[in-house]
Amino acid sequence: MNKVIFLFLRRMRTPLLVLIGAYTLAGLGLLLIPGVDEYGEPWRMDILHVLYFLSYTATTTGFGEVPREFSEAQRLWVMFSIYLTIIAWLYAIGKILALVQEPAFRQAVRYQGFERHVRRMQEPFYIVCGYGDTGSMLVKALVHRGQRAVVIDLNVDRINDLELTDLSSHVPAMVGDASVSRHLRSAGLRHPLCQGVVAVTDNDDANLKIAITVKLLNPTLPVVCRAHTRSTQDNMASFGTDHIVNPFDAFGERLTLALHSPGLYLLREWLTSVPDTPLPRPVEPPQGTWILVGFGRLGRAVKQGMKSLGMGTVVIEEIAERADPDGPCLQGRGTEADTLQQAGIANAVGLLAGTDEDTNNLSCLMTARTLNPDLFIVARQNHYDNRDIFRAAKPDLIMRPSEMIAEAILAHLSAPLLARFLQLSLEKDDDWANELLSRISAVTDEVVPEVWLVSVNDKSAPALVRLLQEQSITLGALLDATHAWRDSFNCVPLMRVREGEALLTPGPETDIQTGDRLLLCGQPRVADRFHHLLRDVQALRYLVTGYNRPDGWVWRAGSRRSRPGTTGNTN
């Protein structure tokens, strides 16, 4: 039985019995108490007239005394019945109002509405488990791209925040534990349009259980998880989790990349940041001795990267058990000038304020800058609400775990080949990266580009497949055609994959074949128009070949009779 109806009937059982009893008693009195007709003879109401009288009395319609004028006794009984039923109704309405305000009933109503919304979804969607800083950024970015999402979070305040957020499309959301399998099923785990599950709760165990649940109940569905520890990351990878994001390891790798190859670092930032936001600025952290304040997950990841480059580090850690056993280490919070001076702040080139307390990181940043104004400072921002304070502090680089996770997941969801491109790009040098950055900046108008994938097959690009059956087409011809259609349709090819073999930054002479996969980047919203063109045979043929061949048999017959060179055009 429906949960809402079940709960209503269970709570309203007594008020309904009281109402039924009141009307039964009122009806019984009207049946038994005799009246007097115009001839002075006694008469009694039949059941039909009793029901008729009680009905119009209960609805306050008031047709008067029917079928005959009442006797005094009947009128007294009617007065008694009216007050009796009013009391019964007041009792029932009071119970209804109390029921509506009950948290359990309201939760049941919201749950039912959530399931109904999910069942009626007509567009592909992702299930986002967790609506904290990471989840909220991810959902906003998905909606901004025109994609749909369904949200599960244990915190009712976060769900209320989602409902108050001004989004261009409705995002169904429910309060519940996403690691519970029935909640995932209610969120559409087995819905045919569900495209994947993203587990970004702040609990590694919950994320792990979500990944296991998805792989057991719907093994073909991609699952992307957030992991804070290496052991959880390895555990998730062991049963085939499609993509795992560890923000601390990821930032350690990025900072190392920025130290030895700023161009490749900037390319990665441009391609993985949220589209349509300002392009990240270049950073060039200096090489030399760094001071690492905080030696938790982030400090260890950064030290490992710097060690691989042969750079020296001095660690400041408050907890003695976390002390670095492989190098100089001082015990302290790193917020005091004495500790920083003992660590050699005067001769250091950089500082990482990487504790899990934003206040300590800001204090350390300001103290260190006073002692050494030329210091390159990297600060860790743990809470999204402190964004304005960190901006005002102006560190050279801010590490935001939530933002990094959201960007990495968004890049994976929008273009699964991007991770492979970024991995292969590490084999290139800075000159290659700088040239590609110049080409991208020429088409993106100072905003982060959108990266998209084109699969050359009947489903994604039927017009291109059909045209390839008629003639060979190069990548340059295809891109020139899109540019001719709309001036703003500039895009940069990043990679072509054919039978598993990848070709980075393919040139205009590169041929295209059915089955290829192309990774492109360009201005936001160009991707949708690009995909639309690849489905329009007439428009694509005309733009690539300059020839407008009729498709219908009537027009083809007419075309054969016409003289060569007199075919029309799209205008």
Side-chain angles (χ1 to χ4, degrees):
M1 182 186 289
N2 185 294
K3 288 181 181 177
V4 176
I5 296 177
F6 173 76
L7 199 57
F8 180 85
L9 292 178
R10 193 171 66 178
R11 295 285 195 278
M12 293 302 296
R13 183 170 49 194
T14 304
L16 287 174
L17 288 176
V18 169
L19 271 175
I20 292 171
Y23 277 100
T24 302
L25 183 62
L28 190 61
L30 289 174
L31 281 173
L32 297 176
I33 299 173
V36 180
D37 61 12
E38 60 271 23
Y39 304 106
E41 298 293 331
W43 64 276
R44 283 189 172 83
M45 295 178 73
D46 55 23
I47 293 179
L48 175 63
H49 281 95
V50 167
L51 292 175
Y52 177 61
F53 177 79
L54 290 178
S55 298
Y56 71 66
T57 304
T59 56
T60 69
T61 306
F63 285 145
E65 297 175 350
V66 292
R68 293 185 176 87
E69 188 175 343
F70 287 176
S71 64
E72 296 297 328
Q74 284 178 314
R75 288 172 180 165
L76 285 172
W77 183 252
V78 168
M79 288 173 59
F80 168 76
S81 300
I82 289 174
Y83 289 120
L84 177 67
T85 53
I86 285 177
I87 293 172
W89 272 114
L90 289 176
Y91 173 63
I93 291 172
K95 282 291 183 182
I96 290 174
L97 293 176
L99 176 63
V100 170
Q101 294 176 355
E102 262 190 40
F105 184 78
R106 297 174 68 177
Q107 174 67 16
V109 171
R110 292 179 69 170
Y111 193 84
Q112 184 179 342
F114 172 78
E115 288 185 313
R116 185 171 58 251
H117 276 298
V118 173
R119 280 198 305 272
R120 294 176 180 176
M121 294 281 274
Q122 300 292 324
E123 300 173 78
F125 65 92
Y126 291 96
I127 301 174
V128 179
C129 304
Y131 195 72
D133 289 346
T134 305
S136 59
M137 281 189 280
L138 188 61
V139 169
K140 288 173 186 172
L142 287 173
V143 172
H144 180 73
R145 290 183 169 197
Q147 296 175 297
R148 302 295 302 276
V150 173
V151 170
I152 310 175
D153 196 290
L154 199 56
N155 190 324
V156 65
D157 292 335
R158 291 176 178 174
I159 297 301
N160 291 336
D161 287 342
L162 170 61
E163 292 176 352
L164 294 174
T165 304
D166 184 19
L167 297 174
S168 58
S169 63
H170 174 63
V171 177
M174 69 169 287
V175 178
D177 185 352
S179 62
V180 177
S181 58
R182 63 185 170 87
H183 290 166
L184 283 172
R185 288 200 304 271
S186 299
L189 183 61
R190 288 175 173 167
H191 195 292
L193 293 176
C194 183
Q195 302 297 296
V197 177
V198 180
V200 288
T201 72
D202 51 7
N203 186 316
D204 271 8
D205 292 337
N207 293 336
L208 179 63
K209 189 176 177 186
I210 292 168
I212 293 173
T213 303
V214 175
K215 286 303 174 187
L216 288 176
L217 298 184
N218 194 349
T220 60
L221 205 63
V223 57
V224 182
C225 285
R226 163 186 185 172
H228 287 129
T229 63
R230 188 67 60 84
S231 61
T232 305
Q233 188 175 349
D234 294 341
N235 195 348
M236 289 175 175
S238 65
F239 55 84
T241 302
D242 298 86
H243 190 64
I244 307 163
V245 181
N246 183 330
F248 306 107
D249 286 352
F251 183 78
E253 293 170 1
R254 287 193 186 191
L255 186 57
T256 306
L257 185 62
L259 284 165
H260 78 82
S261 183
L264 287 174
Y265 166 80
L266 190 60
L267 177 64
R268 176 180 287 262
E269 291 294 303
W270 282 17
L271 295 180
T272 59
S273 296
V274 177
D276 213 13
T277 58
L279 282 174
R281 299 289 97 190
V283 295
E284 295 187 10
Q287 296 205 19
T289 301
W290 279 62
I291 296 176
L292 309 182
V293 180
F295 201 60
R297 295 161 294 185
L298 178 61
R300 293 175 191 277
V302 170
K303 176 169 182 176
Q304 185 178 357
M306 292 184 171
K307 187 177 179 182
S308 67
L309 297 177
M311 293 170 54
T313 56
V314 178
V315 172
I316 300 176
E317 170 57 51
E318 185 178 12
I319 302 174
E321 290 77 13
R322 286 184 180 177
D324 180 17
D326 299 328
C329 182
L330 300 175
Q331 187 171 3
R333 289 190 300 176
T335 56
E336 307 86 0
D338 292 346
T339 310
L340 292 172
Q341 287 171 339
Q342 290 176 26
I345 190 75
N347 299 318
V349 298
L351 176 136
L352 168 68
T355 72
D356 53 7
E357 291 288 340
D358 281 352
T359 306
N360 288 344
N361 293 338
L362 288 168
S363 174
C364 174
L365 181 159
M366 297 173 70
T367 306
R369 182 172 288 158
T370 304
L371 299 174
N372 185 352
D374 298 327
L375 210 58
F376 187 95
I377 298 177
V378 179
R380 171 181 170 183
Q381 177 190 328
N382 297 285
H383 300 289
Y384 183 78
D385 293 339
N386 293 329
R387 179 180 52 180
D388 293 338
I389 308 174
F390 274 85
R391 282 181 179 170
K394 296 181 180 177
D396 298 285
L397 192 60
I398 302 177
M399 189 270 181
R400 300 186 181 97
S402 301
E403 194 171 301
M404 288 190 61
I405 296 170
E407 290 175 354
I409 293 175
L410 194 62
H412 179 79
L413 295 181
S414 58
L417 279 183
L418 180 58
R420 185 177 179 185
F421 169 81
L422 294 174
Q423 186 63 34
L424 292 174
S425 69
L426 297 179
E427 300 172 3
K428 301 292 185 179
D429 56 22
D430 249 12
D431 293 337
W432 176 86
N434 290 329
E435 181 185 352
L436 184 55
L437 288 169
S438 300
R439 293 173 59 192
I440 293 174
S441 64
V443 303
T444 57
D445 197 20
E446 296 299 318
V447 296
V448 172
E450 183 172 357
V451 181
W452 69 91
L453 175 68
V454 173
S455 297
V456 185
N457 54 41
D458 288 327
K459 182 180 179 182
S460 301
L464 182 57
V465 171
R466 185 169 171 182
L467 206 55
L468 285 170
Q469 293 170 351
E470 300 171 3
Q471 64 178 76
S472 62
I473 300 176
T474 65
L475 182 59
L478 178 63
L479 298 183
D480 288 344
T482 58
H483 181 62
W485 190 29
R486 297 281 192 280
D487 290 341
S488 59
F489 272 28
N490 286 320
C491 55
V492 177
L494 299 175
M495 185 170 67
R496 185 202 67 184
V497 177
R498 175 178 296 169
E499 297 178 351
E501 185 177 349
L503 174 65
L504 296 187
T505 57
E509 73 286 353
T510 304
D511 66 309
I512 302 174
Q513 295 181 9
T514 302
D516 287 352
R517 289 186 295 167
L518 304 173
L519 188 67
L520 307 168
C521 76
Q523 286 188 11
R525 292 176 290 279
V526 168
D528 291 339
R529 298 166 186 168
F530 196 90
H531 284 296
H532 178 73
L533 178 62
L534 297 183
R535 294 175 179 276
D536 190 334
V537 178
Q538 287 287 82
L540 185 63
R541 179 187 292 118
Y542 177 74
L543 291 169
V544 172
T545 66
Y547 173 58
N548 185 22
R549 195 185 76 175
D551 264 359
W553 68 270
V554 174
W555 295 108
R556 286 202 301 270
S559 176
R560 282 195 293 271
R561 293 193 187 94
S562 64
R563 292 179 302 173
T566 58
T567 53
N569 53 44
T570 56
N571 297 323

